[in-house]
Amino acid sequence: MFDDKLMQDGALAKDTPQMSNPHLPADHPPVANEKIGVLIANLGTPDGYDYWSMRRYLNEFLSDRRVIDYSPWIWQPLLQAVILTKRPFSSGAAYKSIWNEEQGESPLMTITKAQTKKISEAMAERYGDDVIVDFCMRYGNPSTRSKVRIMAERGCRKILFFPLYPQYAGATTATANDEFFRSLITEKWQPPVRTVPSYFDRPSYIDALAQSVERAYGVMETKPDILVCSYHGVPQRYLMEGDPYHCQCQKTTRLLRERLGWDKSEIVTTFQSRFGPEEWLQPYTVEEVARLAEGGKKRIAVIAPAFSADCIETLEEINEEIRESFEEAGGENFTYIPCLNDDDAHIAALSEAISDNLKGWIE
């Protein structure tokens, strides 16, 4: 069900089963056997860490009005003339430090492939070959449009779209959905579609997070003084304009704390990856870990509940930049707890969400 030939952007499976229908005329184009498609989506990744690969990726990402909502008349000249002449070098160096050289791809790509394979196996066990699972990226390759086209070619007459963001934000979940809906514009035969909502408070997701913390703490000689739950930041005004992201992050932390049976003093919510001059959600992770160290919290652990897979923001920003901030302020022991990635409990939680949202289409 999960086919490596579908990994390449725009590649079509050559062995798509064709429907044998005696009612079709001889000159009718081939019709694939009817399937249900599950298309999971992640943020995206550059094709490489060289200047031009990084520039193409950053241009697509930073031109998204859901991500940067300043007027294009102001933003685009600044982006094209200043930011995209410098940032590809620094971002490329950061990607190079974490790149999966063996596979020739970013860790996010490697992990997303592994997640898709395991989810596909879970769907096959439950539904046989009636459900096809594949993945796409909002930015870069494989594109959402190419994978919608592939699913249509393979006979998917219904598609469930699943952005892998536990907490909803306009700059993540909404823009992924936007691109999915835009992809349907070019389809002659549009399938009925559904989108999977945010799963920030789903018990199976919270339990998977808790298990990852328990495993990490279980091998430590001394328990950390505090667990920092670091979420990707967004501008503070997004909250004031109605985006529920901040509230969903806070609830995820609370539910995780309750599942672990901890006191409020043992866990804190912070926000990372600030960009631009305006105020973003606070406290900022890079500043908070320094404050904790200065305040006597010499041993901390950091987890990133907003990321379904390890990526540049976790492997480089948290495990290098934020770690450095903590240690320079006097911190002594910094532990990064990896994202859930393709952990079995995580795959079970994602598969459960998929099955719940397929109800009425297939049982």
Side-chain angles (χ1 to χ4, degrees), residues 330-344:
E332 298 172 358
N333 192 288
F334 181 101
T335 299
Y336 170 61
I337 300 174
C339 292
L340 296 177
N341 297 325
D342 65 339
D343 177 77
D344 287 345

Side-chain angles (χ1 to χ4, degrees), residues 36 126-127 130 355 358-363:
I36 293 174
R126 180 159 187 170
Y127 303 114
D130 291 331
S355 293
L358 286 177
K359 289 178 179 177
W361 280 359
I362 189 171
E363 302 299 336

